[in-house]
Amino acid sequence: SKGVHLLVPRDRIDAGCGLITRTKSSLLFVIPWGGHWIIGTTDTDWELDKAHPAATAADIDYILQHVNSVLATKLTREDVEGVYAGLRPLLAAPEGGSTANLSREHHVSHTVPGLVMIAGGKWTTYRV
């Protein structure tokens, strides 16, 4: 599952704190970070090279559309100073299923004595 995030300058959003809300298929967050806002995220399948996840024009448009639905002053592509993408290490989706519907919980398995396998989860929680 691919997640994409945008970076926009701090002065483009007149707010003193961040926000988190839901879209139809993902969470939308606007988080202050230094002199910028981090805005995300998408949740789309990724079948290409796992070493090089990349944002598409559709990903950027999706995030801008949803963040603009909650902002008084709309953002444009010209406001975007950075874009990055990453992959979530989720458990496999059922055939034809969407990664957006998969649990973000991890699974611990003791397959043989002395070996512990941990699969799935999210980057922000898998280390627990």
Side-chain angles (χ1 to χ4, degrees):
S1 171
K2 180 182 70 173
V4 172
H5 308 83
L6 308 180
L7 291 173
V8 300
R10 192 72 177 263
D11 65 357
R12 289 300 296 128
I13 299 175
D14 185 22
C17 64
L19 74 93
I20 299 174
T21 188
R22 289 184 117 353
T23 70
K24 183 178 177 183
S25 63
S26 66
L27 286 177
L28 173 70
F29 56 80
V30 181
I31 300 172
W33 181 68
H36 290 84
W37 293 96
I38 298 175
I39 306 170
T41 184
T42 62
D43 194 330
T44 54
D45 294 343
W46 182 256
E47 300 294 332
L48 302 175
D49 184 359
K50 289 183 175 65
H52 301 286
T56 65
D59 294 326
I60 295 167
D61 291 342
Y62 173 88
I63 294 171
L64 288 174
Q65 174 190 354
H66 284 89
V67 76
N68 283 335
S69 73
V70 297
L71 295 177
T73 303
K74 308 305 182 202
L75 298 175
T76 67
R77 282 178 170 257
E78 288 73 36
D79 296 315
V80 178
E81 290 188 340
V83 179
Y84 63 96
L87 300 177
R88 296 174 187 91
L90 302 175
L91 299 173
E95 190 66 33
S98 168
T99 58
N101 296 326
L102 290 178
S103 169
R104 276 22 186 187
E105 296 298 316
H106 61 275
H107 175 76
V108 178
S109 176
H110 302 271
T111 56
V112 296
L115 178 64
V116 177
M117 294 175 36
I118 304 172
K122 289 181 65 175
W123 173 252
T124 51
T125 59
Y126 86 98
R127 292 162 289 185
V128 175

